Amino acid sequence: MNGTQEEIDAAREARIAEYAQAIVTALTGEERRRAYVRMCDEIHKRSPQQIARMEQQQALR
């Protein structure tokens, strides 16, 4: 595995944000669908540590 888990998680979150932006700016339904599927794939790849950190951040708000 290249990089630390935190770096991998940060890169994954950046890709999720890019796909979310692509959904908003998509010109066709096909582009929107493709970006949505890719975003969902990245969300499902989140590590248990990443999910725990996100839950902890939500609890602090």
Side-chain angles (χ1 to χ4, degrees), residues 39-57:
M39 183 181 73
C40 289
D41 287 344
E42 290 295 334
I43 289 170
H44 290 295
K45 292 178 187 175
R46 284 178 172 156
S47 68
Q49 298 87 355
Q50 184 178 10
I51 293 169
R53 276 194 308 274
M54 293 171 71
E55 289 173 344
Q56 187 176 37
Q57 289 173 349

Side-chain angles (χ1 to χ4, degrees), residues 19-34:
Y19 293 138
Q21 183 62 37
I23 291 169
V24 172
T25 60
L27 297 177
T28 67
E30 180 62 24
E31 289 175 352
R32 194 173 300 114
R33 184 195 64 78
R34 193 174 297 131

